[in-house]
Amino acid sequence: MSATAVTRGGTPWTPQYVEAINPKHCIGCGRCFKVCPRDVLTLVDRGEDDEIDEDDWDDEDAKALMTVKNAMDCIGCGACGRTCPKDCFSFVAA
Ligand code: SF4
Ligand code: SF4
């Protein structure tokens, strides 16, 4: 069963929690970080992620990569996904 909430007007609403950020597409622009109200995300240096082959990056000049730091603090507002220019985010209902 999914967690559900209601808007102030009483309309049912299902939070969509951040599940992952696609590291191949992220350009480290920081838009998602700026809009997140819960300090869920953090920017790391590209060099810290050894699992990603540089050839797979959309932007090989990108120096930073957004990652999920505090997944359990996510309220499922979806703002990060809406602001991302590279469609990096995937979400899941609780
Ligand atoms: S869904 Fe909302 S709370 Fe969760 S990471 Fe995105 S912006 Fe932050
Ligand atoms: S908005 Fe998208 S491309 Fe920009 S840092 Fe966040 S995940 Fe990466």
Side-chain angles (χ1 to χ4, degrees):
M1 193 176 85
S2 300
T4 53
V6 290
T7 65
R8 192 175 182 185
T11 305
W13 172 67
T14 302
Q16 295 290 322
Y17 302 100
V18 68
E19 183 176 44
I21 302 171
N22 189 326
K24 295 179 181 177
H25 298 326
C26 179
I27 55 173
C29 67
R31 287 177 174 84
C32 56
F33 180 88
K34 287 180 186 166
V35 298
C36 178
R38 298 288 299 181
D39 196 26
V40 174
L41 310 171
T42 193
L43 203 59
V44 300
D45 188 23
R46 276 269 180 197
E48 293 175 27
D49 198 330
D50 298 333
E51 294 179 10
I52 305 161
D53 187 333
E54 197 169 326
D55 295 335
D56 286 342
W57 298 354
D58 275 7
D59 181 354
E60 59 187 35
D61 293 329
K63 298 283 186 272
L65 170 71
M66 196 61 66
T67 60
V68 180
K69 178 179 66 172
N70 296 317
M72 293 302 122
D73 281 342
C74 178
I75 59 171
C77 68
C80 50
R82 284 196 292 278
T83 198
C84 178
K86 300 293 289 182
D87 200 20
C88 294
F89 284 86
S90 55
F91 297 93
V92 64

